[in-house]
Amino acid sequence: MKEFDFIKQYLVARQDKDEQVVLGIGDDAAIIRPQAGLDIHISSDMLLGGRHFFTDVKPADLAHKVLAVNLSDMAAMGATPKWATLSVALPQLDEAWVRAFCDSLFALADAHGLQLVGGDTTRGDWAFNVTIMGQTPQGLGLRRAAAEVGDDVWVSGRLGLACAALYDHWNEVHLDDDVFTMCEAARLRPQARVALGQGLLTLAHAAQDVSDGFAQDLQHILTASQVGAVVNVDALPTLPELKQYEQWQQWVCAGGDDYELVFTAPATAREAIMALAADSQTAVTLVGKITADTGLKLIDASGEEVVLTHKGFDHFE
Amino acid sequence: MKEFDFIKQYLVARQDKDEQVVLGIGDDAAIIRPQAGLDIHISSDMLLGGRHFFTDVKPADLAHKVLAVNLSDMAAMGATPKWATLSVALPQLDEAWVRAFCDSLFALADAHGLQLVGGDTTRGDWAFNVTIMGQTPQGLGLRRAAAEVGDDVWVSGRLGLACAALYDHWNEVHLDDDVFTMCEAARLRPQARVALGQGLLTLAHAAQDVSDGFAQDLQHILTASQVGAVVNVDALPTLPELKQYEQWQQWVCAGGDDYELVFTAPATAREAIMALAADSQTAVTLVGKITADTGLKLIDASGEEVVLTHKGFDHFE
């Protein structure tokens, strides 16, 4: 299979119609025509084999993850995903593998109204880069720097599952089969909280997605907003079955790869946030409070302070 | 050196002011505010160590190339470069290396008014992905599909130098020292023809950058435009010294990595194109004609047909 056949058959042929896309895949660049009154949000994520995924991963799972981690960035801004470019390095072009990868990629893209408008293909070690673009009304995007003292701290979905599955892969723990199945699903098929994020545009102050670990990612909000927070670790949503493992706090607070949203909002928005959670079919949990004292204080349900050995993931530590 | 220190010190600190950038590096996404009446052009290129560059390349050369190949895509659309994201995978974060890389990257970006608005850093095998965005007035972007029968075929700069340097590296030929120096400079520091491309917006019909080899890249224009071309190989601009090597036609027609522009324009535009070449300090050469007969016919100065063994580069051939 040749590079250009691949591009023609699997990418060009599957472009949707989007009236803002003046020119899609197949030229030196794609052309989009922005809509007046909207801001464009841009984010890039690179995933490497052996680092972000096992290279024997199923192509459908890999495609899902490559796109979901980028959709999650749009969710964290409250942006509506619109366009993406995909750069791919693969050791070879196996047609069955490519077909499964593309089927999964376009299924997720279509579900979000996202159009692939360009990219690059090359032979090499497993590497995937997506640049995603989305839209919000001007000035409404959810930033990290907007948390206010007195805000509630919320988190979506459940934390720590992906990391627990990794620990099982590494033979550091052995999860029960049904628990492993749930954790592995969370690891392989993260659900970007796009609908929740869009709904939060007018409700939340600050937001961020949890990719490197809850504590570290919340800290980004705190630093950018020059505030602090107290978070109740026992209130952090996870699988109850994980709490029997001594590592559970580590997984939940610092595991990473969750792709949930952590966000802050005034207490007056609680009812609206719960209604949004129901509308967007996304669980949300109140886990703490923004404080004037800077720094992140983790406490347990008894009020004791919790100390983590690692706060999150640094790619070069 | 930690990931976040790197981002803060070398990337966030060096962002320019661009009033269209509402939010730069440091959140889940950057936010840009499009200007009314302009189209946005988007392109991505991934460069891998051992494939697109030698991993002992100087960081300043590497940074230049990573950005230049993307600027070249904007040049081919006639677009003004505006914003870019950069994803980087490196085996380690060596501070001197990173400083040299960033100095070179920002020097080239600044020279083109390009602002880095986001990206990703991770530990891994050498991989770089840039997504670049640029602007043109609505509807004016230079497409591949716009060549017309009777158009002149032009090419900028000189072809085949980068490939000749590679052949020397591979010990397939031995270039004289001064010739090698010129060829190596072309390979390491391609000059994206941005000013030429912008000037061609109102003069040329179709354009494309020469990255995979002149014949293959011109063929993309011909296929998209449903036309053919006759090109005189002896007229293709190169270093005269390369013509003593039996591979010269191969280098010039199919070498790739040239990052020149091939474009078509009506004969009535010749004078304006020569004036633009002078203004943009970019040599341009008339090399052929667009024909109604499809396919690309290469001839030499005596009118004999030239047959290439390879037409260009396919990453999976």
Side-chain angles (χ1 to χ4, degrees):
Chain A
M1 193 177 191
K2 292 188 182 181
E3 179 183 5
F4 293 107
D5 292 339
F6 161 72
I7 294 172
K8 197 169 167 186
Q9 188 173 346
Y10 287 98
L11 303 180
V12 180
R14 299 178 70 162
Q15 293 187 83
D16 279 332
K17 297 273 177 273
D18 171 352
E19 61 183 19
Q20 286 184 259
V21 177
V22 178
L23 185 65
I25 294 170
D27 212 303
D28 293 289
I31 307 179
I32 60 169
R33 189 155 296 169
Q35 206 173 313
L38 299 184
D39 283 339
I40 294 185
H41 297 246
I42 307 159
S43 179
S44 287
D45 267 312
M46 182 181 265
L47 271 68
L48 304 178
R51 177 149 291 264
H52 300 95
F53 58 89
F54 299 117
T55 53
D56 63 353
V57 62
K58 286 182 191 162
D61 288 335
L62 179 58
H64 179 98
K65 185 152 187 176
V66 163
L67 203 51
V69 305
N70 282 280
L71 287 165
S72 182
D73 285 316
M74 292 295 102
M77 302 301 288
T80 304
K82 289 292 293 179
W83 314 288
T85 63
L86 168 69
S87 296
V88 175
L90 285 175
Q92 68 278 324
L93 268 188
D94 174 81
E95 193 155 358
W97 196 98
V98 166
R99 190 182 305 118
F101 183 91
C102 289
D103 283 349
S104 172
L105 187 81
F106 283 98
L108 184 58
D110 291 350
H112 288 281
L114 179 78
Q115 182 162 353
L116 193 69
V117 296
D120 197 9
T121 54
T122 187
R123 188 197 294 268
D125 259 2
W126 303 82
F128 297 84
N129 190 88
V130 169
T131 299
I132 194 166
M133 279 153 281
Q135 291 177 331
T136 61
Q138 279 188 8
L140 278 196
L142 296 169
R143 304 170 181 216
R144 295 179 182 176
E148 292 180 18
V149 175
D151 276 1
D152 292 329
V153 178
W154 299 79
V155 67
S156 69
R158 292 182 296 202
L159 301 173
L161 282 68
C163 189
L166 262 190
Y167 271 60
D168 189 286
H169 279 286
W170 294 336
N171 289 317
E172 300 217 7
V173 296
H174 180 69
L175 303 176
D176 289 343
D177 282 357
D178 53 341
V179 173
F180 176 76
T181 301
M182 281 187 282
C183 291
E184 186 71 349
R187 187 179 76 83
L188 293 174
R189 297 272 182 149
Q191 301 300 314
R193 304 307 187 180
V194 174
L196 177 67
Q198 288 175 268
L200 289 174
L201 268 186
T202 52
L203 297 174
H205 285 150
Q208 142 115 35
D209 77 327
V210 181
S211 55
D212 291 334
F214 170 80
Q216 179 169 301
D217 287 325
L218 174 54
Q219 186 61 57
H220 290 316
I221 290 181
L222 305 182
T223 303
S225 304
Q226 298 178 284
V227 294
V230 178
V231 166
N232 188 321
V233 172
D234 284 314
L236 289 173
T238 187
L239 274 188
E241 291 84 348
L242 295 185
K243 294 198 176 180
Q244 68 181 276
Y245 298 92
E246 59 175 355
Q247 299 96 337
W248 82 269
Q249 288 182 335
Q250 200 64 38
W251 295 340
V252 167
C253 295
D257 250 5
D258 297 302
Y259 303 104
E260 297 296 348
L261 295 187
V262 52
F263 56 96
T264 83
T268 51
R270 283 185 193 181
E271 206 171 317
I273 288 170
M274 294 312 296
L276 169 63
D279 280 353
S280 63
Q281 297 182 290
T282 310
V284 295
T285 305
L286 181 61
V287 299
K289 203 88 190 162
I290 295 295
T291 61
D293 287 344
T294 56
L296 171 59
K297 191 174 174 187
L298 299 173
I299 56 170
D300 67 16
S302 75
E304 289 284 316
E305 190 158 354
V306 174
V307 178
L308 296 178
T309 50
H310 296 287
K311 287 202 174 155
F313 194 76
D314 184 306
H315 286 288
F316 289 98
E317 232 173 351
Chain B
M1 193 177 191
K2 292 188 183 182
E3 179 183 4
F4 293 108
D5 293 338
F6 161 72
I7 294 172
K8 196 169 166 186
Q9 188 175 346
Y10 287 99
L11 302 180
V12 179
R14 299 178 71 162
Q15 292 187 83
D16 279 332
K17 297 271 176 275
D18 172 352
E19 59 184 19
Q20 286 185 258
V21 177
V22 178
L23 185 65
I25 293 171
D27 213 302
D28 293 288
I31 306 179
I32 60 170
R33 190 155 295 168
Q35 204 173 313
L38 298 184
D39 282 339
I40 294 185
H41 297 245
I42 306 160
S43 179
S44 288
D45 267 312
M46 182 181 264
L47 271 68
L48 304 177
R51 177 150 290 265
H52 300 94
F53 57 90
F54 299 116
T55 53
D56 63 354
V57 63
K58 287 182 190 161
D61 288 336
L62 180 58
H64 179 97
K65 187 153 186 176
V66 163
L67 202 52
V69 304
N70 282 280
L71 286 165
S72 182
D73 284 316
M74 291 297 102
M77 303 301 289
T80 304
K82 290 292 293 180
W83 314 288
T85 63
L86 169 68
S87 297
V88 175
L90 285 175
Q92 67 277 325
L93 267 188
D94 174 80
E95 193 155 357
W97 196 97
V98 167
R99 189 181 307 118
F101 183 91
C102 289
D103 282 350
S104 172
L105 188 81
F106 283 98
L108 185 57
D110 292 349
H112 287 282
L114 179 78
Q115 181 162 352
L116 193 69
V117 296
D120 196 9
T121 54
T122 187
R123 189 197 294 269
D125 259 2
W126 303 83
F128 297 84
N129 191 87
V130 168
T131 299
I132 194 165
M133 280 153 280
Q135 292 176 332
T136 61
Q138 279 189 8
L140 277 196
L142 297 168
R143 305 168 181 217
R144 295 179 181 175
E148 293 180 18
V149 175
D151 275 2
D152 292 329
V153 177
W154 298 80
V155 67
S156 69
R158 292 181 296 201
L159 302 173
L161 282 67
C163 190
L166 262 191
Y167 271 60
D168 189 288
H169 279 286
W170 294 336
N171 289 316
E172 299 217 8
V173 297
H174 179 71
L175 303 176
D176 289 342
D177 282 357
D178 53 341
V179 173
F180 176 76
T181 301
M182 281 188 280
C183 290
E184 185 71 348
R187 187 178 75 82
L188 293 174
R189 298 271 181 149
Q191 302 300 313
R193 304 306 188 181
V194 173
L196 177 68
Q198 289 174 268
L200 289 174
L201 269 185
T202 52
L203 297 175
H205 284 150
Q208 141 116 38
D209 77 326
V210 181
S211 55
D212 291 333
F214 170 80
Q216 179 169 300
D217 288 325
L218 174 55
Q219 185 61 57
H220 291 316
I221 289 180
L222 304 183
T223 303
S225 304
Q226 298 178 284
V227 294
V230 178
V231 165
N232 188 320
V233 172
D234 285 314
L236 289 172
T238 187
L239 275 188
E241 291 85 348
L242 295 186
K243 295 199 176 180
Q244 68 182 274
Y245 298 92
E246 59 176 355
Q247 300 95 336
W248 83 269
Q249 288 183 335
Q250 199 64 37
W251 295 341
V252 167
C253 295
D257 250 5
D258 296 301
Y259 304 103
E260 297 295 346
L261 296 187
V262 53
F263 57 97
T264 83
T268 51
R270 283 185 192 179
E271 207 171 315
I273 287 171
M274 294 311 297
L276 169 63
D279 279 352
S280 63
Q281 297 182 289
T282 310
V284 295
T285 306
L286 180 62
V287 298
K289 205 88 188 161
I290 296 294
T291 61
D293 287 344
T294 56
L296 170 60
K297 191 172 174 187
L298 299 173
I299 57 170
D300 66 17
S302 75
E304 290 285 313
E305 191 159 351
V306 174
V307 179
L308 296 179
T309 49
H310 297 285
K311 286 201 175 158
F313 195 76
D314 184 307
H315 286 288
F316 290 97
E317 232 174 350

